[in-house]
Amino acid sequence: LLNIVKINHEIFEFTSLIKTGVETKITLSVTAVIPIPFVIKALQKFNQKFPQTQIELQFTTNDEPLDYLARDEADLAITSSKYSHNDFDRTQWHTVEFMAVAFIDHPATMPEITSEDLDEMTYLVVGGRETLKKKQSQGAVESGNVWNVTDFLIKKELLLSGLGWGYMPRKIIERELEEGLLQPVRAKALIHKQLDLVRKKSKYRGPGKTYLWQCLIENMTEFHNTEPSSYNYIHTN
C-alpha cells in the first residue's frame, strides 16, 4: 500500500511539473576543465528552487558541448568552441590557462628544443576522434606521433611517466609544477581559452532552464571575486 501511495505521489508531482511548464529534465554539457566547486554551488542553488527537475551532466572535451547543443542533445553548454551561429545565445563565462609541459627529464623541456623538434616527439591530446580531426584541420596538431586520451587526469599520468608532452590546464598541474615534476616546454607559448555559456535562442526556455542559466552566470561572477589558488576538475568519460 505504501508503494502504491508513493507511486501515485510521484505521478502527481510529475504531472504538476508538466502543467506548470517546469522541465522534468535539463541536460548541461560542459568541458572537463571547468571549476567543479562552482558548478556544484550553482546546481545546489538550482535544486533548492526546482527539486523535482532532473539534471544530466555531460563532461566532455573542450569543443564537444557545442556539438551536443547543436544536435539538441543538451539544453545548455559550457564550451571553448568559437563556432558562431545566429541560433546561439552565448555569454563569456570563464578563462582557462593552458601550459605545454613534460616530465622533468623529457627532451621537450630542454631549452634548445624548437617547435620543429617537438613535431618528432610524442604529443598527448585530450579528446575523441572528432575533436582530434578538428585540431588537425585547424593546424593545432602537427606532430606525426599523436596519442589521443579521454581525459586530463590520464594525460597527466602519462606526462609524469615521461611518455610525451602536451598542453594542460595550469591549475590541474600546479602541485606538479611546484614540486618540479613537470616542466614548461619553452618552445610553446601559454594558451588562454575562453569558455562561453551557450544556449539555443530558438529552443523553448522553461523556468528551469532560465533559472539555471542565471545561476551559472551569477555564481561565476561571485567565483571570480573569490577565486582560490587552485581547484579540482572532473575527468571526461
Side-chain angles (χ1 to χ4, degrees):
L1 180 61
L2 290 176
N3 287 336
I4 295 176
V5 172
K6 182 180 178 181
I7 292 172
N8 287 337
H9 179 68
E10 290 176 349
I11 293 174
F12 174 78
E13 288 185 336
F14 183 81
T15 304
S16 299
L17 286 176
I18 296 176
K19 287 182 179 180
T20 57
V22 177
E23 303 88 337
T24 58
K25 179 182 176 182
I26 297 175
T27 301
L28 175 62
S29 183
V30 301
T31 172
V33 298
I34 61 173
I36 292 174
F38 160 73
V39 175
I40 291 176
K41 187 173 182 180
L43 293 178
Q44 287 174 333
K45 185 176 180 180
F46 172 85
N47 191 55
Q48 290 175 356
K49 188 168 184 177
F50 296 98
Q52 299 302 321
T53 300
Q54 268 189 330
I55 294 291
E56 179 182 354
L57 281 175
Q58 298 174 337
F59 286 90
T60 67
T61 56
N62 291 324
D63 294 341
E64 289 173 345
L66 204 59
D67 296 333
Y68 284 106
L69 186 66
R71 295 195 301 262
D72 288 328
E73 296 175 9
D75 300 298
L76 302 176
I78 299 175
T79 177
S80 64
S81 174
K82 296 307 173 186
Y83 173 72
S84 181
H85 194 284
N86 292 333
D87 199 29
F88 289 152
D89 181 15
R90 75 165 63 215
T91 183
Q92 291 187 352
W93 191 74
H94 186 55
T95 301
V96 178
E97 182 180 83
F98 285 77
M99 173 185 287
V101 294
F103 189 61
I104 184 171
D105 293 331
H106 195 279
T109 63
M110 296 180 181
E112 66 272 15
I113 291 297
T114 66
S115 291
E116 290 73 21
D117 295 327
L118 292 175
D119 291 340
E120 305 301 321
M121 302 177 187
T122 301
Y123 179 41
L124 303 178
V125 178
V126 170
R129 293 181 179 178
E130 294 302 316
T131 300
L132 184 57
K133 287 180 182 178
K134 288 180 182 179
K135 291 183 177 181
Q136 289 173 331
S137 65
Q138 296 167 358
V141 176
E142 299 176 358
S143 175
N145 188 16
V146 178
W147 287 20
N148 192 30
V149 298
T150 56
D151 63 64
F152 285 105
L153 297 184
I154 292 177
K155 183 176 179 179
K156 182 167 72 170
E157 292 304 315
L158 292 175
L159 289 168
L160 289 170
S161 299
L163 291 175
W165 72 276
Y167 278 95
M168 289 287 292
R170 183 166 187 158
K171 286 189 176 292
I172 291 182
I173 57 172
E174 282 187 339
R175 178 178 297 178
E176 289 75 15
L177 289 172
E178 290 175 0
E179 294 176 354
L181 296 176
L182 292 178
Q183 296 288 324
V185 175
R186 296 175 176 83
K188 294 291 183 178
L190 293 175
I191 294 177
H192 293 85
K193 285 193 175 183
Q194 173 66 48
L195 302 182
D196 291 344
L197 178 60
V198 190
R199 62 185 174 186
K200 272 192 171 182
K201 292 180 180 178
S202 60
K203 196 169 184 179
Y204 167 71
R205 293 182 192 168
K209 295 187 186 77
T210 301
Y211 186 66
L212 182 55
W213 175 273
Q214 293 173 351
C215 288
L216 289 167
I217 293 176
E218 292 172 0
N219 283 6
M220 179 48 71
T221 301
E222 179 182 340
F223 177 80
H224 283 159
N225 293 334
T226 59
E227 184 176 1
S229 59
S230 62
Y231 48 76
N232 298 320
Y233 292 80
I234 284 183
H235 64 281
T236 58
N237 294 321

